[in-house]
Amino acid sequence: MAEGVDEKVLHILVELQKISAEDAARAIVEAKEGKETLKNTLIGKFAVGEEDYAKAYANAMSLSYVDLRSIQIKKEVLEIIPESTARQHMVIAYDKTDAGLLIAMEDPADRQIIEFIHKKVDVAVIVSIASSSAIRDVFPKYAGSLEADLDQIMKEARGVRMSNTDTDLSKVAEDLPIIKIVDAVLRHAIGKDASDIHIEPTEDAVVVRYRIDGILHDMMVLPKTVLAGVVARIKILSNLKIDEHRLPQDGRFKMESDDYNVAFRVSTLPVFDGEKIVMRLLDESGNGLTIDRIGLSKRNIDMFRNNIAKPNGMILVTGPTGSGKTTTLYAVLRELNTKDVNISTIEDPIEYRMKRVNQTQVQPKIGLTFSNGLRALVRQDPDIIMVGEIRDQETASLAVNAALTGHLVLSTLHTNSATGAIPRLMDMKVEPFLLASTINVVVAQRLVRQLCDSCKKEVRVTDAMKTSIADIVDADHMLELLKQEGVVQGGGTWEDVSLFEAVGCDRCHEGYKSRKGIHEMFEMTPSLQKMVTGNITAHELETAAREEQGMVSMLEDGIIKVARGITSLEEVLRVAKE
């Protein structure tokens, strides 16, 4: 995009109060320094919404903005542009009128594709701007709906009859109806951005559920007669024993296409009514989250980057199971993974495969534990070591020693807060003076569901909301933070604050789509080092970090994201209860 257009976009965003004039000036500098596009910088670092950017860009280009999520696109119009072309050029045909073919694009500077479409349809092509996420939301429509596929699957599944012998099972697993059932379950899970698939046998049926944005949803009910065939098919794909029904098994397989590269981590478990299967979906396309997109505030991104750039020390990410700790560590590895460093990991399990990273799977049955694996890793001449989790005294001691001897060590801990990591490691008999000299930064995080841009509703803060906020944070301090973040004007009160609520539409799940992290972060400074060498509690350390570094707590970070329209107060309160 030309520099003149950049300036116009920023001017429009400032006029619309989507970004402050100061942040607009900083965004230009940071985009140049980081060799990033202005768009990615604004969305990733300055919390400008994709739709807001698209509207400003359309205005700057003197083109129309179109919200594809609010349009019912006819199948015959959609298919004027082939799916592969639509994905490659980020363009959607959404309507055809007497005036010509209406298309929505992310980048109207792609004149070649406009010319191609014009020659194909031989009518005028009218270009509008749409956000990249709205364009991607249309792609699943090429494949048809889950309901339509399910109808066809059910018709074919009713004719499937099973035998109990393992020889017959291997044949049934290759039958077309079974293959289609499994393929549809997997394909639609990818399309729905599910993180897990549950295939659960009951007394008289098979229930298929997807976990989407952390919440389980019933997706389909299959006849019990297909259970054995479906289980056998997934076992064959995962290289598991088809004749083993009494013991749990673990396996893995991949599905690849031009549009995705997804690994499925498979777990089978005998239950009363048969075998239950749970599959974790892992995106291996290389398009995983970056540090800019995990939800860190501008202040925290800068602090985080400064510390991961150090040649040694420890980077710790804390939180309960399912809070996205490993995803954050992988985002760090993506940034650090260059040709001039050797990165080695010891994990349980290996979540994502990464090129040029030496990943080792823990195998306790044969003695390959975190501690033994870490002991071997330090002899492999690593620059950066990732330990999936510090669980015991021996692993903690080895990780600290590795950080002391010139390695950058990344790991996770199960603690509720960032400052809680220090006493937790002290409980594992790590000497306080060693922690003071090795820890660079600690991040605590939780995941909250992100509001759907298509239907979220802006509301003024009510007395009930203010009471709920005051129950979890200091309301006066929170208001000052909102002013510092530019969400509220200097002399504003809580009555001037707008929050956002979930509504729900056909584009989302109960008003939410995707998830974002809320965080708190502190870095080890000389004054904090002196405090850590004494017998300090997590609360005392937190108080010092807030006074010295202006540390923002996780819940405060959550309220800021509510005011920015990223999540809802209900979601932050849900996390507070946890």
Side-chain angles (χ1 to χ4, degrees), residues 182-190 193-200 207-212 216-217 219-220 230 234 253 255 262-267 276-281:
V182 173
D183 181 63
V185 169
L186 302 178
R187 192 162 40 82
H188 282 294
I190 294 170
D193 289 326
S195 61
D196 300 86
I197 304 169
H198 291 237
I199 299 174
E200 303 174 339
V207 178
V208 179
R209 301 199 285 171
Y210 294 166
R211 188 177 294 281
I212 302 169
L216 273 171
H217 300 266
M219 300 306 296
M220 61 184 89
V230 167
I234 293 169
F253 67 93
M255 280 182 73
V262 177
F264 293 82
R265 199 176 74 224
V266 179
S267 169
K276 177 181 174 178
I277 290 183
V278 175
M279 292 177 274
R280 168 67 54 89
L281 281 70

Side-chain angles (χ1 to χ4, degrees), residues 34 36-37 39-45 283 285-297 300-301 304-305 308 324-337 352 354 445 447 515-517 519 521:
E36 268 276 18
T37 63
K39 174 187 172 181
N40 288 347
T41 303
L42 287 171
I43 293 170
K45 295 186 180 180
D283 181 7
S285 61
N287 300 324
L289 287 177
T290 61
I291 289 174
D292 291 326
R293 292 182 176 269
I294 58 179
L296 290 169
S297 67
N300 283 345
I301 284 176
F304 204 38
R305 280 209 163 99
I308 67 172
K325 301 187 297 294
T326 307
T327 301
T328 296
L329 289 186
Y330 276 111
V332 175
L333 290 184
R334 280 189 187 92
E335 189 147 317
L336 298 177
N337 189 12
Y352 302 95
M354 294 188 75
Q445 68 179 57
L447 291 177
R515 288 190 289 177
K516 209 81 165 175
H519 305 86
M521 183 183 299

Side-chain angles (χ1 to χ4, degrees), residues 445-457:
Q445 68 179 57
R446 301 288 190 283
L447 291 177
V448 292
R449 289 181 292 170
Q450 211 169 327
L451 286 168
C452 170
D453 282 333
S454 297
C455 64
K456 66 183 179 185
K457 184 173 74 172

Side-chain angles (χ1 to χ4, degrees), residues 320-394:
T321 302
S323 59
K325 301 187 297 294
T326 307
T327 301
T328 296
L329 289 186
Y330 276 111
V332 175
L333 290 184
R334 280 189 187 92
E335 189 147 317
L336 298 177
N337 189 12
T338 58
K339 291 180 180 178
D340 55 349
V341 295
N342 173 25
I343 302 177
S344 294
T345 76
I346 180 82
E347 305 174 57
D348 184 24
I350 295 172
E351 293 278 357
Y352 302 95
R353 296 292 307 280
M354 294 188 75
K355 290 179 180 177
R356 302 182 68 90
V357 174
N358 308 288
Q359 295 172 271
T360 302
Q361 166 74 52
V362 166
Q363 296 187 59
K365 288 180 182 175
I366 58 170
L368 182 53
T369 60
F370 274 118
S371 53
N372 287 340
L374 182 52
R375 200 176 279 110
L377 287 191
V378 294
R379 295 195 290 270
Q380 287 277 309
D381 186 31
D383 300 290
I384 298 162
I385 297 170
M386 183 181 105
V387 183
E389 185 184 342
I390 295 177
R391 295 177 181 171
D392 54 51
Q393 181 178 333
E394 191 176 8

